[in-house]
Amino acid sequence: MKTLVPLAILVASPVLLIAGAPIRRRYLRYVYRDEAPQLMDKKRGWVSAHYFVVTDPLTQWLCWPTESLARIIERRG
């Protein structure tokens, strides 16, 4: 799973560079919603695939340009 997530992020990189901020915000809302299962369950030794996507620095790096642009627009808005 650890190797497939960065590969999937690289495949989706053109989309993340163009529309990364809204996609990432919507995804984080989905992952951290109230009825969502936990990202990690230490008692059972279980880690969700969402954990690797949320904590991957490549995702944050690819979404950075649109997030900074969105912040500038919101400030002027």
Side-chain angles (χ1 to χ4, degrees), residues 6-77:
L7 181 63
I9 292 171
L10 285 175
V11 169
S13 63
V15 174
L16 291 175
L17 283 171
I18 294 171
I23 292 171
R24 186 165 189 258
R25 286 179 189 164
R26 188 172 292 152
Y27 179 71
L28 290 175
R29 270 189 260 133
Y30 171 76
V31 170
Y32 290 117
R33 69 189 189 279
D34 289 337
E35 64 273 357
Q38 295 292 320
L39 294 178
M40 293 177 60
D41 187 3
K42 290 184 180 182
K43 292 180 184 175
R44 290 190 266 162
W46 181 78
V47 178
S48 172
H50 297 292
Y51 173 80
F52 297 111
V53 176
V54 169
T55 59
D56 192 9
L58 186 59
T59 306
Q60 296 170 357
W61 186 75
L62 287 172
C63 293
W64 175 77
T66 54
E67 285 182 9
S68 61
L69 183 62
R71 275 189 235 120
I72 290 171
I73 292 172
E74 287 174 2
R75 270 189 255 146
R76 291 184 182 179

